[in-house]
Amino acid sequence: MDFLCARRGCSAEDHLKEFDYGSSRYGLGHVKRALLNLTAEQMAVLQKISVNWVNTKNPIYMFLSGSVVVDCIWDDSLCKHLDAISKSGAAERQGSAFYLPYTLLSEEVLENLPLPELSEEDYEIKRPYVVSLKGIAGEADVVEALASFFERASVFLGRRIAKVVRKVPYVPQLANKYTDRIDILLKGVDNSLIGFSYVDVTKTYHLGFTAAKNLLMYGLDYVVILHPYVDHDFHKGVGNRIKNRWDIAEVGYASVNLMEEEVHMYKLPRANRYLKMSLSAQKYSSLIRDYVETL
């Protein structure tokens, strides 16, 4: 498997091929057995990678599956840990690059590691993970471009995608509770729902935080805010503001650069805790799932 398409451009087919490779070569059973050979410090490195808390000069790429590639052009402490992790069989090395499969970074694996709980205030997002989307530049509309790419790649964050819905205009079952549009809705083959809210921050002062909170209250399993690319400092600041807000801390955040055919993932989404806390979110979640089946 060639993991370095990220340097020159990963097509939708590359993303699907990587997902299949990671699933077959690094299943959960294999990864969990390999973790037995890691030290607590090496496990902590995986935790930091999963929350974008990585202090390195080396470029970091991500596949749509959630797998991460760290290209160790410069030797540092992170690369030394990754070398040990790859030798354990939990990851893979290809030249200067280290491939960490999405299964290794999954919530199912990390939540069972003997690690201290990481407070949101204890870390700062320093850099994004670059997701290459070769061929996306042909579309002028960001939402349409991403939706089309998702349809071709048919994977996102550890799951296959069964259906992609664009710009959901109205959910009859939610009536007047549907106040903020879901710009892209992904339904996984596991019946999970992932919603994207796109806000063009070059045309408004709003950052999309209220919309993201509403998408969480709709009962979607995962929510991501998308902005067009402005500059790194702006997006880093937004990502850190999201992680520090209790009401939307699990929301993911990314910027989209159609010209460069890249998405910069500053913050990965986490499971929507409102589904455990709110009866209305549970109800709306069921209604939206039923509605998606009719589309």
Side-chain angles (χ1 to χ4, degrees), residues 127-131 140 142-143 146 198-203 207 225-238 253-266:
R127 61 181 305 148
Y129 297 162
V130 179
V131 185
V142 171
V143 171
L146 279 176
Y198 176 71
V199 180
D200 189 345
V201 290
T202 66
K203 299 178 180 178
L207 298 176
I225 295 175
L226 296 171
H227 288 167
Y229 178 78
V230 177
D231 66 59
H232 169 65
D233 288 338
F234 172 81
H235 296 302
K236 183 176 73 170
V238 173
Y253 175 63
S255 67
V256 185
N257 189 331
L258 290 185
M259 290 293 293
E260 297 296 329
E261 299 189 317
E262 291 177 346
V263 164
H264 290 182
M265 184 66 74
Y266 282 84

Side-chain angles (χ1 to χ4, degrees), residues 107-142:
E107 290 177 289
E108 182 176 349
V109 168
L110 293 178
E111 68 184 6
N112 292 316
L113 293 182
L115 294 168
E117 185 174 347
L118 189 64
S119 169
E120 298 291 346
E121 289 76 25
D122 288 342
Y123 75 94
E124 177 186 2
I125 296 169
K126 298 181 182 297
R127 61 181 305 148
Y129 297 162
V130 179
V131 185
S132 172
L133 305 178
K134 184 178 180 181
I136 200 174
E139 295 283 353
D141 181 80
V142 171

Side-chain angles (χ1 to χ4, degrees), residues 16-34:
L16 178 56
K17 186 184 299 182
E18 182 280 322
F19 174 80
D20 289 338
Y21 178 83
S23 300
S24 61
R25 175 70 178 83
Y26 294 97
L28 286 175
H30 173 91
V31 165
K32 289 177 179 178
R33 288 190 296 273

Side-chain angles (χ1 to χ4, degrees), residues 26 54 105 122 186 199 202 207 231 248 251 254 261 268 274 280:
Y26 294 97
V54 182
L105 303 173
D122 288 342
L186 306 180
V199 180
T202 66
L207 298 176
D231 66 59
I248 58 171
V251 170
E261 299 189 317
L268 292 166
Y274 290 102
S280 61

Side-chain angles (χ1 to χ4, degrees), residues 49-188:
I49 291 174
S50 73
V51 293
N52 295 47
W53 185 26
V54 182
N55 189 13
T56 181
K57 296 185 296 182
N58 290 302
I60 303 178
Y61 306 103
M62 195 181 85
F63 286 94
L64 285 177
S65 68
S67 298
V68 168
V69 175
V70 182
D71 195 357
C72 286
I73 301 170
W74 295 280
D75 193 23
D76 60 16
S77 60
L78 172 64
C79 295
K80 289 182 173 64
H81 286 308
L82 294 179
D83 186 52
I85 293 170
S86 69
K87 288 177 179 176
S88 76
E92 192 169 329
R93 181 170 188 169
Q94 191 174 100
S96 63
F98 291 93
Y99 167 75
L100 288 79
Y102 73 88
T103 49
L104 181 62
L105 303 173
S106 66
E107 290 177 289
E108 182 176 349
V109 168
L110 293 178
E111 68 184 6
N112 292 316
L113 293 182
L115 294 168
E117 185 174 347
L118 189 64
S119 169
E120 298 291 346
E121 289 76 25
D122 288 342
Y123 75 94
E124 177 186 2
I125 296 169
K126 298 181 182 297
R127 61 181 305 148
Y129 297 162
V130 179
V131 185
S132 172
L133 305 178
K134 184 178 180 181
I136 200 174
E139 295 283 353
D141 181 80
V142 171
V143 171
E144 178 58 34
L146 279 176
S148 296
F149 200 92
F150 279 131
E151 284 181 328
R152 298 195 302 275
S154 68
V155 296
F156 189 65
L157 296 186
R159 55 184 51 79
R160 281 190 176 272
I161 301 303
K163 183 176 290 188
V164 179
V165 184
R166 298 158 169 81
K167 300 179 181 179
V168 182
Y170 183 60
V171 180
Q173 292 89 335
L174 266 60
N176 61 353
K177 299 296 183 182
Y178 187 73
T179 55
D180 286 277
R181 186 178 71 183
I182 304 170
D183 290 304
I184 301 175
L185 181 63
L186 306 180
K187 181 190 176 186

Side-chain angles (χ1 to χ4, degrees), residues 31-50:
V31 165
K32 289 177 179 178
R33 288 190 296 273
L35 286 173
L36 297 175
N37 300 315
L38 299 185
T39 66
E41 191 174 8
Q42 290 158 1
M43 292 181 185
V45 166
L46 298 177
Q47 182 188 39
K48 291 177 181 179
I49 291 174
S50 73

